[in-house]
């Protein structure tokens, strides 16, 4: 007996069904169609990856790097809330437009007497960060609300793993551009005046607009999710029609002249929000998701945005050349190093999560990831001196570093994106995901500031081993925060929400 049939029998008790009961039954039956659909219904393309410019002094580089995560934090909170208020479809695409405009703005930035080019870049990167931040809750919630239950995790990770290919493509395109400019860089006037490096970073950042422009069409033409139409717009008839049309024809149609019957369903409000999350069974999930993302991003962005510093510190691929040849070799080696890290850890980790998340479950993968990351960072931190003592040991360090990238993605980096997009009611799903994601970006900002302010304690990059040890501590806390989140595998979004679905629509 299906859940719908069982609820129908238990709800009647021999009485004549009311109009509200009939609409409530239609809502649950329509949602069951999505959960049991043989394929996914969403079309999602990620925004372009982040890039940074040439070598700067410590404070300048810190300003460039934290501008985007701070923008992310703002965008995640703002767009997460707006998606629950005005709709997923209405907001989806706006954040990508912001990314495209801000990315292009960076590529053509210039300075003047009133403001330096760094000031202009920081402003553009902050704006780009707002757009990128908005993409997190929107992409997660749209993919989860359209996905069938049995492959929902895979569809959500499928969206997120595009980030890994974005990292790889960025490093590959950077390598191609650097190699193409080889002769120009070698013929630059001096190391202090590498004029063609300016061309390289502008082209690299500007090319990020291309995938964004391609993805914009799909975002602007995606239908509104039926769950938003049902539970927030409270238009069960339109949502039911949308589900039938998408499942049968692949399209959707909204009749502007059709009469709208707003049903009586729970409405989002500050009082209702507080009442829902004040309950420990709900509040602990938001706390667990938020802290897990915060702890992860301490290490993920602490290493990810500083991989070139780590590779240079251990002397992996360090060029021995001089003059403009040193400039070229250094740029090329950083690109190759980032390719190795992406291909050796990021992308395989995403795909392991993709194939196993709907069979193993979200919670076991996240727990396993945090445990292994704790061990890896303990080894990297406390064994740092021995791991950089010889050439062979340095290769071992890079292997362990790739393993850390692998288990970040075959672990909490994937699941922290998925769980908040599933674990809350429709009316707060995007807002809660935005809160959890913003907690992660707060961790990224803390990691960046902490990394740059402490790495040179005792000498240039001498504190790096202790930073790795601190990362191990945060991975340990992630183990405990994971215990607060539920296992969402195989459950409908309505079952996970901790709200009784029978009688959800009231008279």
């Amino acid at each position: 007996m299906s859940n719908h049939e069982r609820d129908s029998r238990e709800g009647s008790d021999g009485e004549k069904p009311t109009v509200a009961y009939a609409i409530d039954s239609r809502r649950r039956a329509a949602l069951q169609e999505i959960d049991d659909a043989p394929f996914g219904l969403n079309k999602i393309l990620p925004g372009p990856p982040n890039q940074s410019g040439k070598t700067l002094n410590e404070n300048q580089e810190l300003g460039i790097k934290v501008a985007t995560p701070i923008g992310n934090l703002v965008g995640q909170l703002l767009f997460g809330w707006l998606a629950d208020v005005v709709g997923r479809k209405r907001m989806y695409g706006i954040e990508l437009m912001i990314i495209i405009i801000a990315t292009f703005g960076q590529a053509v930035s210039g300075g003047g007497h009133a403001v330096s080019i760094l000031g202009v870049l920081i402003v553009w990167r902050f704006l780009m960060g707002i757009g990128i931040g908005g993409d997190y809750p929107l992409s997660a919630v749209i993919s989860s609300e359209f996905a069938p239950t049995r492959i929902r995790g895979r569809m959500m990770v499928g969206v997120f793993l595009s980030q890994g290919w974005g990292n790889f493509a960025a490093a590959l395109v950077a390598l191609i551009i650097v190699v193409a400019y080889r002769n120009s860089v070698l013929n630059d006037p001096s190391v202090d005046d590498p004029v063609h490096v300016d061309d390289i970073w502008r082209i690299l950042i500007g090319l990020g607009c291309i995938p964004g422009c391609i993805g914009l069409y799909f975002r602007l033409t995606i239908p509104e999710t039926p769950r938003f139409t049902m539970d927030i717009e409270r238009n069960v008839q339109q949502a039911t029609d949308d589900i039938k049309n998408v499942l049968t024809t692949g399209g959707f149609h909204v009749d502007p002249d059709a009469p709208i019957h707003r049903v009586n369903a729970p409405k989002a409000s500050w009082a209702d929000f507080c009442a829902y999350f004040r309950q420990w069974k709900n509040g602990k999930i938001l706390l667990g998701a938020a802290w897990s993302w915060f702890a992860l991003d301490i290490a993920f962005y602490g290493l990810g945005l500083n991989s070139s510093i780590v590779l240079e510190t251990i002397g992996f691929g360090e060029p021995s050349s001089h003059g403009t040849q040193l400039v070229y070799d250094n740029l090329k080696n950083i690109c190759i190093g980032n390719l190795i890290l992406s291909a050796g850890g990021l992308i395989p980790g995403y795909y392991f999560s993709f194939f196993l998340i709907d069979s193993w479950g979200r919670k076991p993968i996240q727990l396993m990831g945090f445990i292994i990351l704790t061990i890896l960072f303990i080894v990297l931190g406390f064994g740092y001196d021995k791991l950089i003592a010889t050439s062979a040991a340095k290769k071992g360090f890079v292997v362990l570093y790739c393993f850390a990238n692998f288990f970040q993605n075959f672990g909490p980096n994937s699941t922290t994106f998925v769980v908040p997009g599933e674990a809350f009611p429709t009316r707060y799903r995007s807002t809660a995901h935005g809160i959890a994601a913003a907690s992660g970006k707060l961790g990224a900002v803390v990691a960046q500031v902490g990394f740059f302010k402490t790495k040179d304690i005792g000498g240039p990059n001498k504190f790096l081993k202790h930073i790795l040890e601190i990362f191990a501590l945060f991975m340990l806390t992630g183990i405990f925060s994971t215990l607060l989140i539920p296992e969402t595998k195989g459950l409908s979004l309505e079952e996970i929400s901790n709200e009784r679905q029978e009688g959800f629509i009231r008279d």
Side-chain angles (χ1 to χ4, degrees), residues 140-252:
V141 168
I142 288 174
S143 57
S144 74
E145 291 184 351
F146 269 125
T149 299
R150 61 188 178 81
I151 59 168
R152 187 176 59 239
R154 188 179 300 177
M155 286 186 64
M156 295 181 73
V157 175
V159 172
F160 199 54
L161 68 79
S162 298
Q163 185 183 67
W165 284 111
N167 283 325
F168 182 84
L172 180 61
V173 171
L175 178 62
I176 293 170
I177 297 172
V178 168
V179 172
Y181 269 82
R182 178 181 182 275
N183 293 333
S184 299
V185 171
L186 294 178
N187 292 324
D188 278 342
S190 68
V191 176
D192 297 326
D193 189 23
V195 294
H196 286 95
V197 173
D198 186 69
D199 297 346
I200 292 173
W201 74 259
R202 290 181 187 275
I203 293 172
L204 181 58
I205 291 179
L207 287 175
C209 295
I210 295 176
C213 292
I214 295 172
L216 188 59
Y217 167 78
F218 296 99
R219 297 198 171 198
L220 295 178
T221 56
I222 197 171
E224 183 57 87
T225 71
R227 283 182 164 93
F228 178 87
T229 305
M230 275 188 189
D231 293 350
I232 299 179
E233 292 188 329
R234 296 173 291 125
N235 188 348
V236 175
Q237 180 61 51
Q238 181 64 56
T240 304
D241 293 342
D242 288 344
I243 293 170
K244 290 180 179 178
N245 289 334
V246 172
L247 288 175
T248 55
T249 67
F252 70 102

